[in-house]
Amino acid sequence: MTLKSPKAFVVGWPIDHSRSPLIHRYWLKTYHIKGEYKKKAIAPDKFAKAFLKLRDKGYCGGNITIPHKVRVMDLVDETDVMARKIGAVNTIHFSGDKVIGTNTDGYGFLTNLQNCAPHWICRNSHAVVLGAGGAARAVVAILLARDAQKIIVCNRTVEKAMDLQKHFGSRIEVQHWEKRNEILAGTDLLVNTTSLGMIGKPRLEMDINSLPAKAVVADLVYSPLETRLLHAARKNGHTIADGLGMLLHQAVPGFEIWFGKRPEVTDELRKLVVEDLENRT
Ligand code: ATR
């Protein structure tokens, strides 16, 4: 049942940088839905109590962002397979007296990838994933769920890549960060999930000349929109998928759950968020 005027939230700490309100409010307006989407800044030590109070305040659900995505797993009553595989929840809804958690990051990544590279097939593919944090987990989980054959996880802290291998199993290979330029032969998909290349962070130093021509290159960084990695890939003739597409698509399932309408990721929405990124970074 959809409430007459449903209210959803995004909770994080800090929360000012979040583009989720812009995205969800755009859809509310586009579909003439009388609903609200609000930002909630909640500090980690206050999170458990404040989170459960949101239902009493009339919210039907919302997004959970940094640093609460893992912690919230203990506060929800049910999680779906993706949330459990990733080990984090980014979308919740209140259903009766239960809190249901899911994770739409992998969905957002894959949907964007398929839109940008319709020819790319996940089944039996070989991927290289740079990074081993929460974002890498979401990417790895969805690629494995869609039958990728091999994923090389390459991370500065090799132990974290080994944790991923332990969690996800034998289709994961671990590589040292220093080897990142040498492991690209035979790769169908290269994904940067590290924060390198983001405005204000160090560069991602990467030589992709040995990447096969058919390989698709994705970067989860969306500020700048075209990272140095994506720029080099585009110049080398690779199909590319940027981080903004993932950000927009991961929002789709949440909006549908809370507001009862499956929204579309349009060029107009993308333009709106790009303008906001340009004004605020
Ligand atoms: P997220 O949840 O968004 O993935 P995270 O858990 O902080 O964020 O992970 C950030 C990733 O960027 C990690 O893989 C991190 O590598 P470490 O595990 O070694 O910390 C990677 N990263 C951050 N700064 C880096 C740097 N200067 N060089 C190489 N990798 C870096």
Side-chain angles (χ1 to χ4, degrees), residues 176-240:
H176 287 269
W177 185 244
E178 296 69 34
K179 292 269 189 284
R180 64 193 179 281
N181 297 332
E182 299 160 37
I183 54 174
L184 301 177
T187 298
D188 304 300
L189 173 69
L190 170 65
V191 190
N192 174 42
T193 75
T194 75
S195 48
L196 296 176
M198 196 184 288
I199 290 173
K201 300 275 168 149
R203 277 183 184 181
L204 170 58
E205 302 291 352
M206 185 93 200
D207 177 352
I208 57 166
N209 282 325
S210 59
L211 199 59
K214 60 165 190 195
V216 177
V217 179
D219 202 329
L220 269 47
V221 170
Y222 56 80
S223 184
L225 208 50
E226 187 171 276
T227 59
R228 283 166 60 91
L229 173 67
L230 292 183
H231 182 76
R234 193 168 52 79
K235 282 197 115 180
N236 278 9
H238 298 284
T239 302
I240 60 171

Short mmCIF file of all heavy atoms in Angstrom, two decimals, residues 176-240:
data_model
loop_
_atom_site.label_atom_id
_atom_site.label_comp_id
_atom_site.label_asym_id
_atom_site.label_seq_id
_atom_site.Cartn_x
_atom_site.Cartn_y
_atom_site.Cartn_z
N HIS A 176 48.57 -7.77 -6.40
CA HIS A 176 49.18 -6.62 -5.73
C HIS A 176 48.96 -5.36 -6.55
O HIS A 176 48.96 -5.41 -7.78
CB HIS A 176 50.68 -6.87 -5.53
CG HIS A 176 50.93 -7.87 -4.46
ND1 HIS A 176 51.11 -7.52 -3.14
CD2 HIS A 176 50.98 -9.23 -4.51
CE1 HIS A 176 51.27 -8.62 -2.42
NE2 HIS A 176 51.20 -9.67 -3.23
N TRP A 177 48.79 -4.25 -5.88
CA TRP A 177 48.54 -2.96 -6.50
C TRP A 177 49.59 -2.62 -7.55
O TRP A 177 49.28 -2.10 -8.63
CB TRP A 177 48.48 -1.90 -5.39
CG TRP A 177 48.12 -0.53 -5.84
CD1 TRP A 177 48.89 0.58 -5.80
CD2 TRP A 177 46.86 -0.12 -6.42
NE1 TRP A 177 48.21 1.66 -6.30
CE2 TRP A 177 46.96 1.25 -6.69
CE3 TRP A 177 45.67 -0.80 -6.74
CZ2 TRP A 177 45.92 1.97 -7.26
CZ3 TRP A 177 44.64 -0.07 -7.31
CH2 TRP A 177 44.77 1.29 -7.57
N GLU A 178 50.84 -2.94 -7.26
CA GLU A 178 51.95 -2.61 -8.17
C GLU A 178 51.83 -3.35 -9.50
O GLU A 178 52.45 -2.97 -10.49
CB GLU A 178 53.31 -2.98 -7.53
CG GLU A 178 53.67 -2.21 -6.27
CD GLU A 178 52.79 -2.56 -5.07
OE1 GLU A 178 52.36 -3.73 -4.97
OE2 GLU A 178 52.49 -1.65 -4.27
N LYS A 179 51.03 -4.39 -9.53
CA LYS A 179 50.90 -5.21 -10.75
C LYS A 179 49.76 -4.74 -11.65
O LYS A 179 49.44 -5.38 -12.65
CB LYS A 179 50.64 -6.67 -10.36
CG LYS A 179 51.79 -7.36 -9.68
CD LYS A 179 52.65 -8.04 -10.72
CE LYS A 179 53.69 -8.93 -10.20
NZ LYS A 179 54.85 -8.59 -9.63
N ARG A 180 49.11 -3.65 -11.28
CA ARG A 180 47.83 -3.32 -11.96
C ARG A 180 47.94 -3.10 -13.46
O ARG A 180 46.97 -3.34 -14.18
CB ARG A 180 47.16 -2.11 -11.28
CG ARG A 180 47.94 -0.80 -11.36
CD ARG A 180 47.33 0.20 -10.41
NE ARG A 180 48.03 1.47 -10.41
CZ ARG A 180 49.17 1.71 -9.77
NH1 ARG A 180 49.75 0.74 -9.07
NH2 ARG A 180 49.75 2.89 -9.82
N ASN A 181 49.10 -2.66 -13.94
CA ASN A 181 49.23 -2.45 -15.38
C ASN A 181 49.53 -3.75 -16.14
O ASN A 181 49.43 -3.80 -17.35
CB ASN A 181 50.35 -1.45 -15.67
CG ASN A 181 50.05 -0.10 -15.07
OD1 ASN A 181 48.89 0.28 -14.91
ND2 ASN A 181 51.10 0.64 -14.69
N GLU A 182 49.93 -4.76 -15.39
CA GLU A 182 50.42 -5.99 -16.04
C GLU A 182 49.37 -7.10 -16.10
O GLU A 182 49.65 -8.19 -16.60
CB GLU A 182 51.63 -6.54 -15.25
CG GLU A 182 52.79 -5.58 -15.22
CD GLU A 182 53.74 -5.91 -14.08
OE1 GLU A 182 53.96 -7.09 -13.78
OE2 GLU A 182 54.29 -4.95 -13.49
N ILE A 183 48.18 -6.85 -15.55
CA ILE A 183 47.18 -7.93 -15.43
C ILE A 183 46.00 -7.72 -16.36
O ILE A 183 44.95 -8.33 -16.20
CB ILE A 183 46.68 -8.04 -13.98
CG1 ILE A 183 46.17 -6.67 -13.49
CG2 ILE A 183 47.76 -8.58 -13.05
CD1 ILE A 183 45.51 -6.70 -12.12
N LEU A 184 46.18 -6.84 -17.34
CA LEU A 184 45.03 -6.43 -18.14
C LEU A 184 44.77 -7.28 -19.38
O LEU A 184 43.67 -7.22 -19.94
CB LEU A 184 45.19 -4.95 -18.55
CG LEU A 184 45.33 -3.97 -17.36
CD1 LEU A 184 45.55 -2.55 -17.87
CD2 LEU A 184 44.10 -4.02 -16.47
N ALA A 185 45.76 -8.06 -19.80
CA ALA A 185 45.55 -8.90 -20.99
C ALA A 185 44.41 -9.87 -20.71
O ALA A 185 44.31 -10.42 -19.61
CB ALA A 185 46.83 -9.66 -21.32
N GLY A 186 43.52 -10.05 -21.67
CA GLY A 186 42.42 -11.00 -21.50
C GLY A 186 41.25 -10.46 -20.69
O GLY A 186 40.31 -11.18 -20.38
N THR A 187 41.33 -9.16 -20.34
CA THR A 187 40.26 -8.56 -19.52
C THR A 187 39.11 -8.06 -20.40
O THR A 187 39.32 -7.44 -21.43
CB THR A 187 40.86 -7.39 -18.70
OG1 THR A 187 41.85 -7.92 -17.85
CG2 THR A 187 39.82 -6.67 -17.89
N ASP A 188 37.88 -8.33 -19.94
CA ASP A 188 36.69 -7.81 -20.65
C ASP A 188 36.15 -6.55 -20.00
O ASP A 188 35.40 -5.80 -20.62
CB ASP A 188 35.56 -8.86 -20.60
CG ASP A 188 36.00 -10.19 -21.16
OD1 ASP A 188 36.36 -10.21 -22.35
OD2 ASP A 188 35.99 -11.19 -20.42
N LEU A 189 36.50 -6.37 -18.72
CA LEU A 189 35.95 -5.23 -17.98
C LEU A 189 36.96 -4.76 -16.95
O LEU A 189 37.46 -5.57 -16.15
CB LEU A 189 34.66 -5.66 -17.27
CG LEU A 189 34.03 -4.64 -16.31
CD1 LEU A 189 33.46 -3.45 -17.07
CD2 LEU A 189 32.93 -5.29 -15.46
N LEU A 190 37.25 -3.47 -16.96
CA LEU A 190 38.12 -2.87 -15.94
C LEU A 190 37.28 -1.86 -15.17
O LEU A 190 36.64 -0.99 -15.77
CB LEU A 190 39.32 -2.17 -16.61
CG LEU A 190 40.18 -1.29 -15.70
CD1 LEU A 190 40.91 -2.13 -14.63
CD2 LEU A 190 41.23 -0.51 -16.53
N VAL A 191 37.27 -2.00 -13.84
CA VAL A 191 36.47 -1.09 -13.01
C VAL A 191 37.32 -0.46 -11.93
O VAL A 191 37.99 -1.17 -11.17
CB VAL A 191 35.32 -1.85 -12.27
CG1 VAL A 191 34.36 -0.86 -11.63
CG2 VAL A 191 34.59 -2.80 -13.20
N ASN A 192 37.30 0.87 -11.85
CA ASN A 192 37.94 1.53 -10.72
C ASN A 192 36.90 1.80 -9.64
O ASN A 192 35.95 2.55 -9.83
CB ASN A 192 38.56 2.87 -11.14
CG ASN A 192 39.10 3.62 -9.93
OD1 ASN A 192 39.71 3.01 -9.04
ND2 ASN A 192 38.85 4.92 -9.86
N THR A 193 37.10 1.15 -8.48
CA THR A 193 36.20 1.42 -7.35
C THR A 193 36.93 2.18 -6.24
O THR A 193 36.37 2.41 -5.19
CB THR A 193 35.64 0.10 -6.74
OG1 THR A 193 36.68 -0.54 -5.98
CG2 THR A 193 35.12 -0.85 -7.80
N THR A 194 38.19 2.54 -6.49
CA THR A 194 38.92 3.31 -5.47
C THR A 194 38.50 4.78 -5.57
O THR A 194 37.83 5.18 -6.52
CB THR A 194 40.45 3.23 -5.66
OG1 THR A 194 40.82 4.06 -6.77
CG2 THR A 194 40.95 1.81 -5.88
N SER A 195 38.95 5.55 -4.60
CA SER A 195 38.65 6.98 -4.62
C SER A 195 39.67 7.76 -5.44
O SER A 195 39.57 8.98 -5.59
CB SER A 195 38.59 7.51 -3.19
OG SER A 195 39.74 7.05 -2.48
N LEU A 196 40.66 7.06 -6.00
CA LEU A 196 41.70 7.74 -6.78
C LEU A 196 41.11 8.34 -8.05
O LEU A 196 40.30 7.71 -8.72
CB LEU A 196 42.81 6.75 -7.15
CG LEU A 196 43.59 6.18 -5.96
CD1 LEU A 196 44.59 5.14 -6.45
CD2 LEU A 196 44.30 7.27 -5.20
N GLY A 197 41.53 9.58 -8.32
CA GLY A 197 41.02 10.25 -9.52
C GLY A 197 39.88 11.21 -9.21
O GLY A 197 39.49 12.03 -10.04
N MET A 198 39.35 11.10 -7.98
CA MET A 198 38.29 12.01 -7.57
C MET A 198 38.91 13.39 -7.31
O MET A 198 40.07 13.47 -6.90
CB MET A 198 37.71 11.46 -6.25
CG MET A 198 36.38 12.01 -5.84
SD MET A 198 35.95 11.34 -4.21
CE MET A 198 35.56 9.66 -4.59
N ILE A 199 38.12 14.43 -7.53
CA ILE A 199 38.62 15.78 -7.26
C ILE A 199 39.08 15.83 -5.80
O ILE A 199 38.36 15.40 -4.89
CB ILE A 199 37.52 16.84 -7.53
CG1 ILE A 199 37.27 16.94 -9.04
CG2 ILE A 199 37.90 18.20 -6.96
CD1 ILE A 199 36.11 17.81 -9.46
N GLY A 200 40.30 16.31 -5.58
CA GLY A 200 40.83 16.42 -4.21
C GLY A 200 41.60 15.19 -3.75
O GLY A 200 42.20 15.20 -2.68
N LYS A 201 41.56 14.12 -4.54
CA LYS A 201 42.30 12.89 -4.18
C LYS A 201 43.45 12.71 -5.15
O LYS A 201 43.47 13.31 -6.23
CB LYS A 201 41.38 11.66 -4.28
CG LYS A 201 40.18 11.73 -3.37
CD LYS A 201 40.53 11.23 -1.99
CE LYS A 201 39.43 11.58 -1.03
NZ LYS A 201 39.15 10.79 0.03
N PRO A 202 44.43 11.83 -4.80
CA PRO A 202 45.54 11.62 -5.75
C PRO A 202 45.05 11.02 -7.07
O PRO A 202 43.95 10.47 -7.14
CB PRO A 202 46.43 10.60 -5.01
CG PRO A 202 46.01 10.63 -3.60
CD PRO A 202 44.58 11.07 -3.56
N ARG A 203 45.90 11.15 -8.07
CA ARG A 203 45.58 10.57 -9.39
C ARG A 203 45.60 9.06 -9.35
O ARG A 203 46.34 8.48 -8.55
CB ARG A 203 46.69 10.95 -10.37
CG ARG A 203 46.54 12.29 -10.95
CD ARG A 203 47.69 12.44 -11.93
NE ARG A 203 47.70 13.76 -12.51
CZ ARG A 203 48.57 14.16 -13.40
NH1 ARG A 203 49.53 13.35 -13.80
NH2 ARG A 203 48.51 15.37 -13.90
N LEU A 204 44.85 8.45 -10.25
CA LEU A 204 44.99 7.00 -10.47
C LEU A 204 46.02 6.85 -11.58
O LEU A 204 45.75 7.18 -12.74
CB LEU A 204 43.65 6.38 -10.88
CG LEU A 204 43.69 4.94 -11.38
CD1 LEU A 204 44.27 4.00 -10.33
CD2 LEU A 204 42.29 4.47 -11.78
N GLU A 205 47.21 6.42 -11.22
CA GLU A 205 48.27 6.23 -12.23
C GLU A 205 48.08 4.85 -12.84
O GLU A 205 48.23 3.83 -12.17
CB GLU A 205 49.67 6.30 -11.57
CG GLU A 205 49.96 7.60 -10.84
CD GLU A 205 50.12 8.81 -11.78
OE1 GLU A 205 50.15 8.61 -13.01
OE2 GLU A 205 50.20 9.94 -11.26
N MET A 206 47.70 4.83 -14.11
CA MET A 206 47.34 3.56 -14.72
C MET A 206 47.67 3.59 -16.20
O MET A 206 47.33 4.55 -16.90
CB MET A 206 45.82 3.40 -14.53
CG MET A 206 45.25 2.10 -14.98
SD MET A 206 45.20 0.92 -13.63
CE MET A 206 45.07 -0.60 -14.54
N ASP A 207 48.33 2.56 -16.67
CA ASP A 207 48.63 2.44 -18.10
C ASP A 207 47.74 1.32 -18.65
O ASP A 207 47.92 0.16 -18.29
CB ASP A 207 50.12 2.09 -18.26
CG ASP A 207 50.49 1.86 -19.72
OD1 ASP A 207 49.57 1.84 -20.58
OD2 ASP A 207 51.68 1.69 -20.00
N ILE A 208 46.80 1.69 -19.50
CA ILE A 208 45.83 0.68 -19.97
C ILE A 208 46.13 0.20 -21.40
O ILE A 208 45.27 -0.38 -22.05
CB ILE A 208 44.38 1.22 -19.89
CG1 ILE A 208 44.21 2.51 -20.69
CG2 ILE A 208 43.94 1.40 -18.45
CD1 ILE A 208 42.77 2.89 -20.93
N ASN A 209 47.35 0.42 -21.84
CA ASN A 209 47.66 0.07 -23.23
C ASN A 209 47.59 -1.43 -23.53
O ASN A 209 47.41 -1.81 -24.67
CB ASN A 209 49.01 0.65 -23.65
CG ASN A 209 48.85 2.13 -23.95
OD1 ASN A 209 47.81 2.56 -24.47
ND2 ASN A 209 49.84 2.93 -23.57
N SER A 210 47.72 -2.27 -22.50
CA SER A 210 47.62 -3.71 -22.78
C SER A 210 46.20 -4.25 -22.62
O SER A 210 45.97 -5.46 -22.69
CB SER A 210 48.60 -4.50 -21.90
OG SER A 210 48.31 -4.27 -20.55
N LEU A 211 45.26 -3.36 -22.39
CA LEU A 211 43.85 -3.78 -22.27
C LEU A 211 43.32 -4.14 -23.67
O LEU A 211 43.48 -3.36 -24.60
CB LEU A 211 43.06 -2.60 -21.70
CG LEU A 211 41.70 -2.85 -21.05
CD1 LEU A 211 41.79 -3.81 -19.88
CD2 LEU A 211 41.11 -1.52 -20.60
N PRO A 212 42.67 -5.32 -23.84
CA PRO A 212 42.13 -5.67 -25.16
C PRO A 212 41.14 -4.61 -25.65
O PRO A 212 40.42 -4.01 -24.84
CB PRO A 212 41.41 -6.99 -24.90
CG PRO A 212 42.00 -7.54 -23.65
CD PRO A 212 42.43 -6.36 -22.84
N ALA A 213 41.09 -4.41 -26.96
CA ALA A 213 40.25 -3.34 -27.54
C ALA A 213 38.78 -3.49 -27.16
O ALA A 213 38.07 -2.51 -26.97
CB ALA A 213 40.40 -3.34 -29.06
N LYS A 214 38.33 -4.74 -27.03
CA LYS A 214 36.90 -4.98 -26.73
C LYS A 214 36.54 -4.65 -25.28
O LYS A 214 35.35 -4.61 -24.92
CB LYS A 214 36.55 -6.44 -27.00
CG LYS A 214 37.40 -7.35 -26.13
CD LYS A 214 36.94 -8.77 -26.02
CE LYS A 214 37.79 -9.40 -24.92
NZ LYS A 214 37.88 -10.75 -24.75
N ALA A 215 37.53 -4.44 -24.42
CA ALA A 215 37.25 -4.27 -22.99
C ALA A 215 36.47 -2.99 -22.72
O ALA A 215 36.71 -1.95 -23.34
CB ALA A 215 38.55 -4.26 -22.19
N VAL A 216 35.54 -3.09 -21.78
CA VAL A 216 34.78 -1.92 -21.33
C VAL A 216 35.47 -1.40 -20.07
O VAL A 216 35.96 -2.18 -19.26
CB VAL A 216 33.32 -2.33 -21.03
CG1 VAL A 216 32.53 -1.16 -20.48
CG2 VAL A 216 32.66 -2.90 -22.28
N VAL A 217 35.50 -0.07 -19.94
CA VAL A 217 36.15 0.53 -18.76
C VAL A 217 35.11 1.36 -17.98
O VAL A 217 34.44 2.22 -18.56
CB VAL A 217 37.34 1.43 -19.18
CG1 VAL A 217 37.99 2.07 -17.96
CG2 VAL A 217 38.38 0.60 -19.95
N ALA A 218 35.00 1.05 -16.69
CA ALA A 218 34.04 1.77 -15.84
C ALA A 218 34.78 2.42 -14.67
O ALA A 218 35.74 1.86 -14.15
CB ALA A 218 32.99 0.80 -15.31
N ASP A 219 34.33 3.58 -14.29
CA ASP A 219 34.90 4.26 -13.13
C ASP A 219 33.75 4.66 -12.22
O ASP A 219 32.76 5.23 -12.69
CB ASP A 219 35.68 5.51 -13.59
CG ASP A 219 36.71 5.94 -12.55
OD1 ASP A 219 36.45 5.73 -11.35
OD2 ASP A 219 37.76 6.48 -12.95
N LEU A 220 33.86 4.35 -10.94
CA LEU A 220 32.78 4.72 -10.02
C LEU A 220 32.90 6.18 -9.57
O LEU A 220 31.95 6.74 -9.03
CB LEU A 220 32.79 3.78 -8.79
CG LEU A 220 31.91 2.53 -8.92
CD1 LEU A 220 32.08 1.81 -10.23
CD2 LEU A 220 32.11 1.59 -7.76
N VAL A 221 34.07 6.76 -9.80
CA VAL A 221 34.24 8.20 -9.49
C VAL A 221 33.38 9.00 -10.46
O VAL A 221 33.38 8.73 -11.66
CB VAL A 221 35.73 8.59 -9.65
CG1 VAL A 221 35.91 10.10 -9.58
CG2 VAL A 221 36.58 7.90 -8.58
N TYR A 222 32.60 9.98 -9.93
CA TYR A 222 31.78 10.79 -10.85
C TYR A 222 32.10 12.28 -10.77
O TYR A 222 31.42 13.10 -11.38
CB TYR A 222 30.28 10.52 -10.63
CG TYR A 222 29.80 10.74 -9.22
CD1 TYR A 222 29.53 12.01 -8.73
CD2 TYR A 222 29.62 9.64 -8.37
CE1 TYR A 222 29.07 12.19 -7.44
CE2 TYR A 222 29.17 9.82 -7.08
CZ TYR A 222 28.90 11.09 -6.62
OH TYR A 222 28.47 11.28 -5.33
N SER A 223 33.12 12.59 -9.99
CA SER A 223 33.53 13.99 -9.91
C SER A 223 35.05 14.04 -9.97
O SER A 223 35.69 13.76 -8.96
CB SER A 223 33.01 14.57 -8.59
OG SER A 223 33.30 15.91 -8.52
N PRO A 224 35.67 14.26 -11.13
CA PRO A 224 35.07 14.71 -12.38
C PRO A 224 34.28 13.58 -13.07
O PRO A 224 34.51 12.40 -12.81
CB PRO A 224 36.28 15.09 -13.23
CG PRO A 224 37.36 14.16 -12.77
CD PRO A 224 37.12 14.00 -11.29
N LEU A 225 33.42 14.01 -13.97
CA LEU A 225 32.58 13.08 -14.70
C LEU A 225 33.42 12.15 -15.59
O LEU A 225 33.21 10.95 -15.64
CB LEU A 225 31.62 13.89 -15.57
CG LEU A 225 30.30 13.27 -15.90
CD1 LEU A 225 29.60 12.75 -14.66
CD2 LEU A 225 29.42 14.31 -16.59
N GLU A 226 34.33 12.78 -16.34
CA GLU A 226 35.24 11.95 -17.13
C GLU A 226 36.60 11.97 -16.45
O GLU A 226 37.35 12.94 -16.53
CB GLU A 226 35.37 12.43 -18.58
CG GLU A 226 36.21 11.44 -19.39
CD GLU A 226 36.22 11.71 -20.89
OE1 GLU A 226 35.29 11.27 -21.57
OE2 GLU A 226 37.18 12.35 -21.35
N THR A 227 36.89 10.89 -15.75
CA THR A 227 38.17 10.78 -15.04
C THR A 227 39.30 10.59 -16.05
O THR A 227 39.05 10.29 -17.22
CB THR A 227 38.13 9.58 -14.08
OG1 THR A 227 37.89 8.40 -14.86
CG2 THR A 227 37.03 9.74 -13.03
N ARG A 228 40.52 10.69 -15.56
CA ARG A 228 41.67 10.44 -16.45
C ARG A 228 41.62 9.03 -17.01
O ARG A 228 41.96 8.79 -18.16
CB ARG A 228 42.98 10.65 -15.69
CG ARG A 228 43.33 12.11 -15.48
CD ARG A 228 44.43 12.23 -14.44
NE ARG A 228 45.64 11.52 -14.84
CZ ARG A 228 46.64 12.05 -15.52
NH1 ARG A 228 46.59 13.30 -15.89
NH2 ARG A 228 47.70 11.34 -15.83
N LEU A 229 41.18 8.09 -16.16
CA LEU A 229 41.07 6.70 -16.63
C LEU A 229 40.07 6.61 -17.78
O LEU A 229 40.35 6.00 -18.82
CB LEU A 229 40.62 5.79 -15.47
CG LEU A 229 40.31 4.34 -15.86
CD1 LEU A 229 41.57 3.60 -16.30
CD2 LEU A 229 39.63 3.59 -14.70
N LEU A 230 38.91 7.21 -17.60
CA LEU A 230 37.88 7.14 -18.66
C LEU A 230 38.33 7.89 -19.91
O LEU A 230 38.05 7.46 -21.03
CB LEU A 230 36.55 7.70 -18.14
CG LEU A 230 35.84 6.87 -17.06
CD1 LEU A 230 34.50 7.49 -16.70
CD2 LEU A 230 35.64 5.42 -17.50
N HIS A 231 39.02 8.99 -19.69
CA HIS A 231 39.52 9.78 -20.84
C HIS A 231 40.49 8.94 -21.66
O HIS A 231 40.38 8.85 -22.89
CB HIS A 231 40.19 11.05 -20.32
CG HIS A 231 40.68 11.94 -21.40
ND1 HIS A 231 39.82 12.73 -22.13
CD2 HIS A 231 41.93 12.16 -21.89
CE1 HIS A 231 40.53 13.40 -23.03
NE2 HIS A 231 41.81 13.06 -22.91
N ALA A 232 41.44 8.30 -20.96
CA ALA A 232 42.43 7.46 -21.66
C ALA A 232 41.73 6.30 -22.36
O ALA A 232 42.07 5.94 -23.50
CB ALA A 232 43.46 6.92 -20.65
N ALA A 233 40.74 5.72 -21.70
CA ALA A 233 40.02 4.57 -22.28
C ALA A 233 39.27 5.00 -23.54
O ALA A 233 39.30 4.32 -24.57
CB ALA A 233 39.05 4.00 -21.24
N ARG A 234 38.59 6.14 -23.45
CA ARG A 234 37.83 6.62 -24.61
C ARG A 234 38.77 6.90 -25.78
O ARG A 234 38.49 6.53 -26.93
CB ARG A 234 37.05 7.89 -24.23
CG ARG A 234 35.99 8.29 -25.25
CD ARG A 234 35.08 9.35 -24.68
NE ARG A 234 35.78 10.50 -24.13
CZ ARG A 234 36.30 11.48 -24.84
NH1 ARG A 234 36.24 11.46 -26.15
NH2 ARG A 234 36.91 12.50 -24.24
N LYS A 235 39.93 7.50 -25.47
CA LYS A 235 40.90 7.80 -26.53
C LYS A 235 41.44 6.53 -27.18
O LYS A 235 41.77 6.51 -28.36
CB LYS A 235 42.06 8.63 -25.96
CG LYS A 235 41.67 10.08 -25.79
CD LYS A 235 42.87 10.95 -25.63
CE LYS A 235 42.99 11.91 -26.79
NZ LYS A 235 44.14 12.78 -26.66
N ASN A 236 41.52 5.46 -26.38
CA ASN A 236 42.02 4.17 -26.91
C ASN A 236 40.91 3.37 -27.60
O ASN A 236 41.13 2.24 -28.01
CB ASN A 236 42.61 3.31 -25.78
CG ASN A 236 44.03 3.72 -25.46
OD1 ASN A 236 44.53 4.72 -25.94
ND2 ASN A 236 44.70 2.94 -24.62
N GLY A 237 39.70 3.94 -27.66
CA GLY A 237 38.60 3.29 -28.38
C GLY A 237 37.73 2.36 -27.54
O GLY A 237 36.89 1.63 -28.08
N HIS A 238 37.91 2.37 -26.21
CA HIS A 238 37.08 1.50 -25.36
C HIS A 238 35.72 2.13 -25.11
O HIS A 238 35.59 3.35 -25.07
CB HIS A 238 37.76 1.28 -24.00
CG HIS A 238 39.08 0.59 -24.10
ND1 HIS A 238 39.18 -0.76 -24.33
CD2 HIS A 238 40.35 1.07 -24.02
CE1 HIS A 238 40.46 -1.08 -24.37
NE2 HIS A 238 41.19 0.01 -24.20
N THR A 239 34.73 1.27 -24.91
CA THR A 239 33.43 1.76 -24.43
C THR A 239 33.60 2.07 -22.94
O THR A 239 34.24 1.31 -22.21
CB THR A 239 32.35 0.67 -24.62
OG1 THR A 239 32.31 0.33 -26.00
CG2 THR A 239 30.99 1.16 -24.17
N ILE A 240 33.04 3.19 -22.51
CA ILE A 240 33.22 3.59 -21.10
C ILE A 240 31.86 3.76 -20.40
O ILE A 240 30.84 4.02 -21.04
CB ILE A 240 34.05 4.89 -20.97
CG1 ILE A 240 33.37 6.07 -21.70
CG2 ILE A 240 35.47 4.69 -21.47
CD1 ILE A 240 34.03 7.42 -21.43
#
